[in-house]
């Protein structure tokens, strides 16, 4: 009986060590500030201002400055399965943001899971349509959230999104290896 009580206690102890929340704010290693709530929890319910194809668009007016931030978000057409505590299928989101406060940036976020960040920098692979894949350097948020990565090369990525139909992103996850996500990116409209 003691063994049975030990396992739930261990699970409870492990669960308390894993921070599954996405709140807080900070800046990435390049000094780009972000609000992790705005960055990671832009879900379908809060982003229904406009929709074009697989893209969701949102405008957000800052109550203090009356300045507008613009967002475009798309979610992968496939999901991947991870082990405990992230089982049940995870998708990857790509968000483009133009904000007076935070600047222009592109970031990815995983619905459930943790990116495998490295002490010497993190990279992902991207591929648009039938072109060759290329490597993109990434930055972690300053609060070290493990479910968001900021992608370097805003202008290049936005330019490719405007003229492509499909995009693939391969990214490494903590204790899960590298996984590839596919996106339908046609109909992307961005003039900010």
């Amino acid at each position: 009986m003691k063994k049975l009580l030990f396992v739930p206690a261990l699970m409870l102890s492990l669960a308390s060590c894993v921070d599954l929340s996405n709140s807080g704010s900070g800046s990435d290693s390049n000094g780009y500030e972000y609000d992790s709530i705005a960055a990671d929890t832009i879900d379908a319910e809060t982003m229904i201002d406009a929709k074009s194809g697989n893209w969701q668009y949102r405008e957000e007016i800052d109550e203090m400055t009356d300045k507008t931030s613009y967002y475009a978000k798309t979610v992968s057409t496939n999901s991947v399965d991870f082990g405990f505590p992230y089982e049940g299928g995870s998708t990857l989101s790509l968000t483009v943001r133009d904000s007076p406060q935070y600047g222009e940036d592109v970031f990815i976020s995983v619905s459930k899971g943790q990116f495998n960040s490295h002490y010497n920098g993190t990279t992902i692979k991207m591929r648009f349509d039938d072109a060759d894949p290329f490597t993109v350097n990434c930055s972690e948020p300053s609060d070290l959230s493990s479910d968001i990565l900021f992608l370097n090369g805003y202008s290049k990525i936005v330019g490719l999104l405007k003229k492509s139909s499909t995009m693939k992103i391969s990214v490494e996850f903590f204790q899960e290896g590298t996984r590839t996500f596919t996106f339908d990116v046609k109909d992307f409209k961005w003039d900010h």
Side-chain angles (χ1 to χ4, degrees):
M1 185 67 169
K2 289 183 182 179
K3 288 183 182 179
L4 292 176
L5 293 175
F6 174 74
V7 173
L10 177 62
M11 292 173 116
L12 181 60
S13 175
L14 288 173
S16 67
C17 294
V18 178
D19 180 13
L20 300 177
S21 68
N22 293 322
S23 60
S25 61
S27 62
D28 66 14
S29 61
N30 289 329
Y32 294 113
E33 292 187 4
Y34 76 99
D35 175 353
S36 64
I37 292 174
D40 191 42
T41 60
I42 302 170
D43 56 24
E45 289 77 30
T46 61
M47 224 174 143
I48 297 295
D49 288 356
K51 188 169 181 173
S52 175
N54 288 319
W55 287 95
Q56 297 172 328
Y57 298 90
R58 179 172 64 110
E59 294 180 12
E60 183 177 274
I61 299 173
D62 184 289
E63 291 181 20
M64 181 62 74
T65 64
D66 293 329
K67 293 182 179 178
T68 304
S69 295
Y70 301 92
Y71 300 86
K73 177 185 171 186
T74 187
V75 179
S76 61
T77 57
N78 67 315
S79 62
V80 298
D81 291 314
F82 296 138
F84 175 81
Y86 303 113
E87 65 269 15
S90 296
T91 58
L92 192 71
S93 298
L94 179 129
T95 302
V96 180
R97 176 174 62 182
D98 183 2
S99 167
Q101 183 176 2
Y102 305 115
E104 298 175 323
D105 50 22
V106 178
F107 54 87
I108 58 173
S109 57
V110 63
S111 61
K112 292 185 287 186
Q114 297 182 54
F115 295 118
N116 195 25
S117 300
H118 302 279
Y119 69 93
N120 59 349
T122 300
T123 60
I124 65 168
K125 293 272 189 193
M126 296 185 83
R127 182 179 185 194
F128 290 87
D129 293 333
D130 294 329
D132 290 335
F134 60 93
T135 300
V136 176
N137 293 319
C138 303
S139 303
E140 296 179 320
S142 65
D143 69 357
L144 303 179
S145 296
S146 58
D147 56 355
I148 301 171
L149 286 175
F150 287 85
L151 313 185
N152 296 347
Y154 170 88
S155 296
K156 178 179 181 177
I157 294 169
V158 168
L160 289 167
L161 285 169
K162 287 181 177 180
K163 61 184 182 181
S164 301
S165 295
T166 61
M167 174 185 69
K168 292 184 179 181
I169 295 177
S170 289
V171 59
E172 186 179 349
F173 290 90
F174 180 69
Q175 296 184 340
E176 295 288 349
T178 300
R179 305 296 180 94
T180 301
F181 295 85
T182 302
F183 296 81
D184 179 352
V185 295
K186 62 182 172 283
D187 300 320
F188 176 64
K189 297 179 180 25
W190 192 253
D191 57 4
H192 305 284

